[in-house]
Amino acid sequence: MITKITGRLVSLSGDTLTLSVGPYEHEVLIPEFTRRRLQDGIGKETSLHTIEYMEGDPTRGRMTPRMVGFTSSIEREFFELFCQVDGVGVKKALRAMVRPVQEVAALIEDQDAKGLAALPGIGPATGERVIAKLRRKVPKFALLIGRDAPDVAPRERDLAGEAFETLRALGHSESDARRLLDEAMGRKKKYKDVEELLRSVYENRDA
């Protein structure tokens, strides 16, 4: 099993990136918060802590190998825990994790079912199951993630995640929300809060 892979970041598209390693190019699935962290790294050497799994229906013989990647080992560990909750699984966990691991862990630790339900694809019932199964297992993720995470401005990540959820709640598709936020964050302006970031998104969208 491949647990870490290092190569040149070739492309990012939605929940997938392509990593060039020697003569091979590997497709790796990533959650939204990881995609946003890596979006300025095209062409640079990138290391990912990975999980491998098989996707498909074994009864029909249609199984496809997949790889999921994270920028730190502790994020990978949290993702594996999250996937163990009944009704979650890899695909739903990937879609749900639009905010950094420490924020999702804090929601679980605080038993914030409403906050978890707001994550894409989770909903109230799954949010309650996540809390019931994981609330005693997440304190180290909420408190210690910063020791293992890359040096990225945390407040900017927070704003992007919150703005992403808001855009989805306003009816934007995931791809449209990503595009609008990428354009706003790409202007290199510092935003003091989510409201200011969203105002920038819509001002430039209507221009």
Side-chain angles (χ1 to χ4, degrees), residues 109-140:
E109 186 178 26
D110 295 341
Q111 301 184 51
D112 185 351
K114 185 177 179 180
L116 287 170
L119 297 175
I122 295 300
T126 303
E128 292 287 357
R129 288 198 298 273
V130 169
I131 290 170
K133 187 174 183 67
L134 302 182
R135 73 175 184 273
R136 290 188 174 87
K137 301 177 181 180
V138 298
K140 75 169 184 176

Side-chain angles (χ1 to χ4, degrees), residues 157-179:
R157 292 207 306 270
D158 297 352
L159 293 179
E162 292 172 30
F164 182 88
E165 292 176 46
T166 302
L167 289 170
R168 291 287 291 124
L170 290 171
H172 292 276
S173 66
E174 291 182 20
S175 60
D176 191 40
R178 285 193 193 101
R179 179 182 59 80

Side-chain angles (χ1 to χ4, degrees), residues 18 21 32 46 66 73 82 85 149 170-171 173 177 188 195 199:
T18 301
V21 184
E32 171 64 20
T46 301
R66 300 290 191 195
S73 59
F82 202 74
V85 177
L170 290 171
S173 66
K188 305 298 182 183
E195 183 179 350
R199 187 161 53 246

Side-chain angles (χ1 to χ4, degrees), residues 72-193:
S72 73
S73 59
I74 199 166
E75 289 172 352
R76 178 184 61 194
E77 182 183 349
F78 178 83
F79 185 83
E80 289 180 306
L81 272 179
F82 202 74
C83 288
Q84 292 174 12
V85 177
D86 291 340
V88 177
V90 174
K91 282 189 172 181
K92 185 173 284 190
L94 274 169
R95 185 182 175 202
M97 294 188 67
V98 298
R99 301 175 73 170
V101 163
Q102 65 268 38
E103 290 191 26
V104 179
L107 290 174
I108 297 169
E109 186 178 26
D110 295 341
Q111 301 184 51
D112 185 351
K114 185 177 179 180
L116 287 170
L119 297 175
I122 295 300
T126 303
E128 292 287 357
R129 288 198 298 273
V130 169
I131 290 170
K133 187 174 183 67
L134 302 182
R135 73 175 184 273
R136 290 188 174 87
K137 301 177 181 180
V138 298
K140 75 169 184 176
F141 298 101
L143 297 174
L144 302 180
I145 185 79
R147 297 184 185 178
D148 197 30
D151 185 16
V152 180
R155 184 55 187 161
E156 288 190 15
R157 292 207 306 270
D158 297 352
L159 293 179
E162 292 172 30
F164 182 88
E165 292 176 46
T166 302
L167 289 170
R168 291 287 291 124
L170 290 171
H172 292 276
S173 66
E174 291 182 20
S175 60
D176 191 40
R178 285 193 193 101
R179 179 182 59 80
L180 291 170
L181 281 173
D182 284 350
E183 290 174 357
M185 302 299 285
R187 288 187 283 274
K188 305 298 182 183
K189 179 181 177 182
K190 298 293 183 181
Y191 301 100
K192 65 180 181 180
D193 52 32

